[in-house]
Amino acid sequence: MSMLRRRGVLILLVVLGALVVIVTASRTWVSGSVDDVVLGQTSVSATGSEVAGGVVALALVVVAGAVASATAGPRARVVALVLTLLASLGGVALVARVLLDPDA
């Protein structure tokens, strides 16, 4: 538990988490078939960055916020942590929207 109190370890964990989000956003999240009048029945698939546009950008914002909170003064640290929390919640909301209604 004392390792998690070090700034360097926390920044590394945040960067690794953002890297996982970025890599998984490049993979296929949703696949299905479409019955089109012109093309007939076609199978389609979409990556995470296509169905949850903005999740990669929010992951990069979280990394920037983590670095800013580790290097800033006390007041700026609070602002950076609040913005990092909001970006994290936005990313979770984008992923949850896809998970809850993949047909959309």
Side-chain angles (χ1 to χ4, degrees), residues 3 6-7 9 11 15 19 26-28 34 48-49 53 57 60 68 75 82 91 93-94 98-99 102 104:
M3 284 292 279
R6 295 183 184 172
R7 287 185 190 173
V9 173
I11 290 175
V15 169
L19 183 64
S26 67
R27 306 286 186 217
T28 300
V34 175
S49 60
L60 293 175
R75 290 183 183 163
V82 168
L94 287 174
V98 174
L99 291 175

Side-chain angles (χ1 to χ4, degrees), residues 4-5 26 41 47 92:
L4 292 178
R5 293 186 183 180
S26 67
Q41 186 153 354
T47 63
V92 168

Side-chain angles (χ1 to χ4, degrees), residues 33-89:
S33 61
V34 175
D35 193 16
D36 189 25
V37 175
V38 176
L39 299 175
Q41 186 153 354
T42 307
S43 82
V44 294
S45 62
T47 63
S49 60
E50 293 171 340
V51 295
V55 73
V56 173
L58 288 174
L60 293 175
V61 169
V62 168
V63 170
V67 171
S69 67
T71 59
R75 290 183 183 163
R77 183 176 302 137
V78 171
V79 172
L81 288 173
V82 168
L83 293 176
T84 302
L85 177 66
L86 290 174
S88 299
L89 292 175

Side-chain angles (χ1 to χ4, degrees), residues 13-25 59 63:
L13 289 175
V14 169
V15 169
L16 287 176
L19 183 64
V20 167
V21 169
I22 292 169
V23 168
T24 57
V63 170

